[in-house]
């Protein structure tokens, strides 16, 4: 496994421009929850005035896939939600994504079931986005892109964003307004994140945020 040197000088005004490839590539932009991936993606894509770089937030893409699959998701998790006394539907009939998260992140078997439902549609949407942006460098902003090998194999390298635990905890609390216990549970599900990306044999650049 070949690792590229850690990059730590975010204060360098030329820092982000050095990460823009000379020719179009597809790059995996990943890191643990609340590490600052969205900030890095925004800074990367602001380096070129001719819009030769674009970023796709796969969290939003997954949400879009979930919206399309809501009836099937409700049917799949109805019994488990009742046992856990969790209401998966909002008053308007839409899916309560936060309630769904509380259910599936507490049980790895349910998380796997959810991924099996949602990931095929997510892959389709991502490939559609890439096709629409041919000739551009595309950053796939995703925590667990390794779970979709069809997408990861399109990438030339990995930008792995890191940040101290406490800083991530504060960011997540401010952003998601979830109980600390729930945030920490999600953090724990990502403890082996880097080791999963090491298995890919792709070059990795670490960005300390």
């Amino acid at each position: 496994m070949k690792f590229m040197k850690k990059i730590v000088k975010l204060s360098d005004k030329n820092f982000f421009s050095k990460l823009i490839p000379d020719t179009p590539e597809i790059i995996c932009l990943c890191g643990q929850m609340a590490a600052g991936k969205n900030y890095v993606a925004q800074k990367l894509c602001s380096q070129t005035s001719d819009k030769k770089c674009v970023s796709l937030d796969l969290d939003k893409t997954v949400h879009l896939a979930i919206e399309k699959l809501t009836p099937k998701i409700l049917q799949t998790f109805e019994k488990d939600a009742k046992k856990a006394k969790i209401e998966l539907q909002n008053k308007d009939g839409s899916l309560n994504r936060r309630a769904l998260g509380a259910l599936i992140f507490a049980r790895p078997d349910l998380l796997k079931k959810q991924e099996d439902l949602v990931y095929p549609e997510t892959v389709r949407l991502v490939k559609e986005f890439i096709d629409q942006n041919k000739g551009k460098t595309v950053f796939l902003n995703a925590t667990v892109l390794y779970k979709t090998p069809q997408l990861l194999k399109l990438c030339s390298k990995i930008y792995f964003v890191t940040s101290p635990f406490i800083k991530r905890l504060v960011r997540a609390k401010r952003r998601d307004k979830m109980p600390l216990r729930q945030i920490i549970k999600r953090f724990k599900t990502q403890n082996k994140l880097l080791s999963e990306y090491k298995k890919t044999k792709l070059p990795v650049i670490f960005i300390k945020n």
Side-chain angles (χ1 to χ4, degrees):
M1 172 68 186
K2 180 181 178 182
F3 283 94
M4 299 181 73
K5 188 177 180 180
K6 285 189 179 183
I7 298 178
V8 296
K9 296 181 180 179
L10 288 180
S11 58
D12 180 354
K13 64 180 181 180
N14 297 318
F15 171 83
F16 286 103
S17 62
K18 294 175 182 177
L19 296 176
I20 304 299
D22 295 329
T23 56
E25 296 180 29
I26 300 173
I27 298 172
C28 170
L29 177 63
C30 61
Q32 293 175 317
M33 180 179 174
K37 297 182 294 297
N38 291 341
Y39 168 76
V40 172
Q42 185 273 324
K43 294 296 288 185
L44 286 168
C45 291
S46 68
Q47 298 306 304
T48 57
S49 58
D50 48 8
K51 296 183 179 180
K52 287 187 177 180
C53 296
V54 292
S55 173
L56 179 64
D57 185 338
L58 265 76
D59 280 347
K60 293 180 179 179
T61 307
V62 169
H63 289 166
L64 180 58
I66 287 174
E67 285 180 12
K68 292 186 176 185
L69 297 168
T70 290
K72 194 169 184 179
I73 290 171
L74 290 172
Q75 183 182 14
T76 299
F77 296 106
E78 182 180 10
K79 291 182 180 179
D80 292 296
K82 283 184 178 179
K83 288 180 182 178
K85 297 181 180 180
I86 293 176
E87 180 56 61
L88 292 180
Q89 281 185 287
N90 295 312
K91 291 182 179 179
D92 62 1
S94 61
L95 180 67
N96 185 327
R97 291 200 297 264
R98 183 165 293 181
L100 177 64
L103 176 68
I104 64 176
F105 281 105
R107 287 181 51 184
D109 60 320
L110 296 186
L111 179 60
K112 176 65 165 56
K113 190 179 292 186
Q114 164 77 347
E115 291 170 349
D116 289 343
L117 281 174
V118 174
Y119 282 172
E121 176 63 13
T122 302
V123 169
R124 187 191 69 79
L125 291 170
V126 172
K127 287 185 175 181
E128 183 176 83
F129 179 85
I130 291 172
D131 287 342
Q132 292 168 353
N133 289 278
K134 286 183 177 178
K136 299 178 182 179
T137 288
V138 178
F139 294 100
L140 298 182
N141 176 2
T143 300
V144 291
L145 196 66
Y146 70 86
K147 290 188 177 183
T148 51
Q150 309 98 306
L151 297 178
L152 194 56
K153 72 179 182 181
L154 302 176
C155 298
S156 59
K157 61 174 70 81
I158 295 167
Y159 288 174
F160 195 96
V161 184
T162 67
S163 189
F165 176 86
I166 294 299
K167 187 180 287 189
R168 293 194 297 118
L169 191 64
V170 171
R171 286 175 185 159
K173 180 64 177 174
R174 187 190 311 126
R175 181 190 68 191
D176 301 329
K177 296 181 172 55
M178 293 190 301
L180 283 176
R181 183 178 297 180
Q182 189 173 341
I183 293 172
I184 291 172
K185 276 186 178 180
R186 292 198 179 188
F187 278 13
K188 286 182 178 179
T189 66
Q190 299 174 3
N191 282 344
K192 297 182 179 179
L193 189 66
L194 180 57
S195 65
E196 292 294 337
Y197 283 108
K198 285 181 179 179
K199 297 175 185 177
T200 67
K201 298 183 180 180
L202 289 172
V204 178
I205 296 177
F206 294 90
I207 302 175
K208 187 175 181 181
N209 183 19

